[in-house]
Amino acid sequence: MAAQRRACGPPAEEMLRECARDVVAVAEGIREVSARTSSVLFAPALTGSARRRPRTGLAARWALLRTLTNRHGLGGSAIVAPDGVGHLLGAAGEALGRESLAALVAVTSLRLRIAAVLVDHPEFGHDPGMRRLTDAVTADRDPEAAVRALRALLKDRGAQRSLSALAPILAELLAVRGLLDEDPLSDETAWALAAGRELTAGPVTGFDASHLSVTDKGEGAAQAVELSAQEARSLVTEGSFLGFLRNIDALAGEARVLVQEVRGPDGVLRYVVQAPGTAPGRPRDDSPQDFAGAWRNLFLTDSPYTRSILLAIRDHGIPRGADLALVGHGEGGIALLNLAQDDEFCRAYRVTHVVAVGAQADDRRPADPRTWVAGITNRYDIVPALDGPVAPHPNRYRVDYTGPTREFPLCHLLRVYIDHLETVIPQARADVDRALAPYRGPVERTRVYRLRDRGRPPEGYPFLAVPTTSLATSAGPVDVPVRYYDSSAAHLCFPVDTDVARSLLPDVAWMVPTRLGRRALAVLSLYEHRCTTIGPYTELGLSVLVDDLWRPHAYDLAADLLRRADLRRTGRYVVALAVGTEEARAVAEEVWAQPAVGGSADVELQGRELRVHAPELGVSVEGRPGPGARCPEADWVLYGRRGESTVRTLVRAHGRPRIHARPRLRLRLDGAHGPLARHLQILELDAVRPGFVLSSPRFTAYRSAGAVLPR
């Protein structure tokens, strides 16, 4: 197949990238025309003419304005206008057409780039998280849909593959969203990404001590740490290219960099900084060696990773003017290239070599033109995301080879690169070793530094800063209380027949439904949990309000609204529950004693319309909650049943809940596929609308472990 493709011409992905470059050049030309037209529209001469000759001058300005804003013209929402007039044009574009022609053409280029990435790696298009993110960003709809999809992907503990897939195409995805945004002032960043230009925030702050304070911007930190005896034995004692890579591989998982002093063949002491790539898994608060750090590192030279390495070099005490070689993999290679681009850093040290393995090095220009830069990439490794040919340079060395390992992210692993340097491209290893000849000698000193992100409070602080304990479940250990960092919820409250509601409760005399007049209250709770300590999942639950288990009174519910949640006597008995993951099902049944079944659902609870579609469960909800008013926090007491005991769970929430008195929501049941749909049919909730709805578009919460009651 590969031979056939070569015989037919350039690979498809290269043709797509070439086409994307041509299309974005057209988009830039359209944007320049828009800018010139905008300048003419607000030129003093034309403004004065409109005042002196309103009949012709105003007509000319109106024609120009229509050209800028009409959907059959330039579109208008991506126009650079003087003195903040872009807001006016953006409003006119909203009214007359909204979509900028330049932006739409650029979007075509961006989609071509995404298609180029997916040609060699079609599996990324089948990943559910990536598919949802791509659809959300490229669709011209709710701007927050992309944010929610990205957040869910980043917080998913099992999404390492999807996170790796994001690395080369996230710039394109975010640029599409920015170019479709109606705010004209948000275009500049997106346009730079669309055109393939690098975003920078200036130089890396220099090497002056006043710039390197850990408190400066609060970003980046480095602390010298000791190695275990086994780790110390695994480090090489003789300088070589593969030796430096093996050092990085040995310490890559803990956000640690090495600074080694090597005595060269000429007796001169030189220094080698070795930096690892992105650690697998979701973003972490304590380290810049994660996906979020890699993203900032790619577009901002002043990133936490780069600053942390800079602090490690300063702490090591390398004398000014010393020879320095920088060797990195992936994100570490990009951070070191950022250092090499800084004028002040290169004045402090003589950066002789930069070697980046599995990192895009072609668009980085060192501040010192004498610096020798090498980039080694596997063609199947999409993290470097090479884009087109690069002009030859005497101090540039590039190897872009086709390795036997096609599967991603396996082909990005450093140990795979090391193996390929020994077996597939030994000539590249020999060439780099020859260039690093001044550093081939005994290692006289090694120090290891752990890198840190900026100091910040724990996630969810202070509300979710609660003591925890670990409980064993069939799905593995779980920390309780379970914490919900980012969730949405809608509680549909239905007045129902008291006797029917009573039939759904346990067959014990002392558990009775709470009466509101002559009716009981059933609650259908819809949740989208985007970030939790047991992973993201959806939750659909049916519960019935019940009285105090020991001393029920007629007005317990009204009195409980004035009490703290932990002092409440009433609660909701969970009749049926459907959750999207096995971990959530195990916790619900084994920790909270709630009858849970597995069942996935497509849930959207953050827009003006609520939408829930769960074909596996036979349940769907659609409609608008209607006008709402703020109400107190929706804390709850939930009851479950285990054997002869009742289990009480406390749920504390923090957000901005609203109550909707006239909801226009409709519950539909497409066949009873499980206990949830069956109980909903018994209550006949699909035949009526809810009496009121409590909604929380975004909230945090925690659920305690279930307390067993002798009742």
Side-chain angles (χ1 to χ4, degrees):
M1 180 63 69
Q4 185 178 5
R5 288 173 60 191
R6 285 193 297 271
C8 295
E13 63 272 18
E14 293 185 9
M15 295 178 65
L16 287 169
R17 289 193 177 98
E18 183 65 30
C19 184
R21 287 191 291 271
D22 293 341
V23 172
V24 84
V26 174
E28 287 188 314
I30 296 172
R31 183 178 174 84
E32 290 173 2
V33 171
S34 299
R36 290 198 298 270
T37 306
S38 176
S39 300
V40 172
L41 175 62
F42 295 98
L46 187 58
T47 302
S49 174
R51 293 195 189 101
R52 292 190 302 270
R53 301 178 180 85
R55 182 177 177 182
T56 57
L58 289 177
R61 299 194 76 188
W62 175 246
L64 286 173
L65 182 62
R66 283 185 56 82
T67 300
L68 283 168
T69 59
N70 193 278
R71 70 178 62 193
H72 301 299
L74 297 172
S77 63
I79 299 170
V80 179
D83 301 326
V85 184
H87 284 298
L88 174 62
L89 293 178
E94 176 75 19
L96 300 178
R98 185 187 310 175
E99 295 174 334
S100 162
L101 177 62
L104 292 179
V105 174
V107 165
T108 303
S109 171
L110 296 169
R111 288 170 176 162
L112 286 169
R113 294 190 190 189
I114 295 173
V117 173
L118 297 180
V119 165
D120 265 340
H121 295 275
E123 66 273 16
F124 294 146
H126 303 307
D127 182 89
M130 281 297 300
R131 187 171 62 250
R132 181 183 179 190
L133 176 63
T134 306
D135 292 344
V137 177
T138 56
D140 188 10
R141 55 187 181 91
D142 178 15
E144 291 191 357
V147 178
R148 294 195 300 270
L150 179 59
R151 182 185 293 111
L153 192 61
L154 293 177
K155 299 301 183 181
D156 185 355
R157 293 181 177 179
Q160 290 94 334
R161 184 181 183 85
S162 297
L163 292 175
S164 300
L166 279 174
I169 65 174
L170 186 58
E172 283 78 5
L173 293 173
L174 296 183
V176 170
R177 180 67 267 165
L179 288 169
L180 293 179
D181 196 337
E182 288 81 6
D183 181 4
L185 297 183
S186 69
D187 275 343
E188 292 305 316
T189 297
W191 191 266
L193 294 175
R197 295 191 288 263
E198 180 188 4
L199 283 175
T200 62
V204 183
T205 73
F207 194 69
D208 185 89
S210 62
H211 295 290
L212 286 174
S213 157
V214 177
T215 60
D216 183 22
K217 293 187 181 180
E219 297 184 357
Q223 178 184 7
V225 295
E226 296 295 330
L227 295 174
S228 66
Q230 181 178 359
E231 288 176 330
R233 287 193 298 269
S234 67
L235 300 183
V236 298
T237 58
E238 188 81 13
S240 68
F241 176 41
L242 286 187
F244 299 141
L245 294 184
R246 291 193 177 100
N247 288 345
I248 296 172
D249 190 44
L251 305 180
E254 299 295 332
R256 292 176 291 181
V257 300
L258 294 85
V259 181
Q260 289 188 315
E261 301 177 9
V262 180
R263 184 72 64 180
D266 55 359
V268 176
L269 193 64
R270 296 180 174 88
Y271 300 83
V272 185
V273 179
Q274 301 149 57
T278 306
R282 69 178 189 174
R284 300 181 297 176
D285 290 333
D286 63 335
S287 168
Q289 191 203 1
D290 59 8
F291 174 77
W295 169 244
R296 288 200 60 190
N297 206 28
L298 182 62
F299 291 104
L300 299 174
T301 56
D302 188 14
S303 67
Y305 199 166
T306 304
R307 293 170 59 83
S308 298
I309 295 176
L310 201 57
L311 291 169
I313 292 173
R314 185 188 69 168
D315 184 79
H316 193 82
I318 301 176
R320 293 182 67 90
D323 288 354
L324 194 62
L326 310 176
V327 181
H329 168 245
E331 179 191 359
I334 296 174
L336 295 176
L337 285 162
N338 288 341
L339 278 179
Q341 289 181 270
D342 183 67
D343 291 329
E344 188 65 28
F345 181 78
C346 290
R347 283 195 292 268
Y349 308 111
R350 182 174 179 263
V351 181
T352 60
H353 300 77
V354 181
V355 182
V357 176
Q360 185 176 358
D362 296 321
D363 60 346
R364 310 296 174 115
R365 295 292 181 265
D368 187 345
R370 299 170 297 174
T371 301
W372 188 82
V373 179
I376 298 175
T377 56
N378 183 348
R379 184 174 293 273
Y380 293 130
D381 181 2
I382 61 177
V383 169
L386 298 176
D387 192 8
V390 178
H393 190 280
N395 285 340
R396 312 285 289 190
Y397 180 81
R398 171 179 170 180
V399 175
D400 182 25
Y401 70 99
T402 302
T405 306
R406 182 189 182 110
E407 185 68 16
F408 188 86
L410 182 62
C411 61
H412 181 65
L413 298 180
L414 181 54
R415 61 175 176 269
V416 174
Y417 271 106
I418 293 173
D419 179 66
H420 291 175
L421 285 165
E422 291 181 316
T423 59
V424 180
I425 48 172
Q427 185 59 46
R429 181 202 64 204
D431 292 343
V432 177
D433 257 333
R434 189 178 305 110
L436 291 175
Y439 297 86
R440 293 184 61 83
V443 176
E444 296 194 354
R445 183 186 178 212
T446 297
R447 292 198 72 183
V448 178
Y449 296 87
R450 188 183 303 279
L451 307 184
R452 299 290 186 188
D453 260 331
R454 62 181 180 180
R456 66 183 71 180
E459 194 172 7
Y461 178 85
F463 179 70
L464 296 181
V466 294
T468 63
T469 186
S470 181
L471 296 180
T473 71
S474 59
V478 172
D479 289 338
V480 290
V482 175
R483 283 143 288 154
Y484 297 82
Y485 295 98
D486 183 16
S487 297
S488 298
H491 304 280
L492 282 58
C493 303
F494 296 85
V496 297
D497 184 86
T498 304
D499 293 334
V500 177
R502 179 68 184 83
S503 69
L504 302 182
L505 299 177
D507 190 17
V508 290
W510 39 261
M511 184 174 287
V512 296
T514 297
R515 289 178 178 268
L516 298 176
R518 297 182 179 181
R519 309 278 282 176
L521 193 67
V523 181
L524 176 60
S525 298
L526 315 171
Y527 292 96
E528 182 186 18
H529 300 303
R530 292 176 291 273
C531 176
T532 82
T533 52
I534 56 175
Y537 69 97
T538 56
E539 177 182 354
L540 279 64
L542 176 64
S543 58
V544 175
L545 262 69
V546 296
D547 284 335
D548 183 357
L549 304 184
W550 274 271
R551 298 181 181 87
H553 297 284
Y555 301 103
D556 273 347
L557 179 61
D560 266 357
L561 294 178
L562 303 177
R563 297 188 181 111
R564 298 194 331 241
D566 52 338
L567 298 178
R568 291 179 183 171
R569 301 176 182 276
T570 61
R572 290 161 47 202
Y573 183 84
V574 179
V575 175
L577 188 67
V579 293
T581 66
E582 177 60 25
E583 292 81 359
R585 188 206 61 78
V587 173
E589 286 198 335
E590 300 170 27
V591 178
W592 301 323
Q594 298 171 3
V597 297
S600 61
D602 185 11
V603 179
E604 291 287 346
L605 303 176
Q606 288 190 299
R608 293 184 178 180
E609 294 192 12
L610 306 185
R611 186 179 66 86
V612 176
H613 185 53
E616 297 179 10
L617 306 171
V619 177
S620 64
V621 178
E622 289 186 359
R624 295 191 174 191
R630 289 288 305 276
C631 63
E633 298 292 348
D635 295 336
W636 302 98
V637 172
L638 301 179
Y639 290 120
R641 190 75 175 160
R642 180 183 297 137
E644 299 299 319
S645 302
T646 301
V647 178
R648 180 179 187 268
T649 302
L650 176 64
V651 182
R652 299 295 305 271
H654 177 65
R656 300 175 63 88
R658 300 181 70 85
I659 184 169
H660 307 266
R662 301 180 62 185
R664 296 185 176 181
L665 292 168
R666 178 66 69 181
L667 168 67
R668 291 183 173 84
L669 301 177
D670 301 323
H673 299 319
L676 176 62
R678 191 162 54 251
H679 286 96
L680 292 172
Q681 282 183 329
I682 293 173
L683 293 170
E684 298 182 345
L685 300 187
D686 57 332
V688 297
R689 290 181 177 177
F692 62 95
V693 171
L694 295 175
S695 69
S696 295
R698 183 168 296 168
F699 70 95
T700 59
Y702 62 85
R703 298 187 189 183
S704 68
V708 179
L709 305 178
R711 201 69 166 127

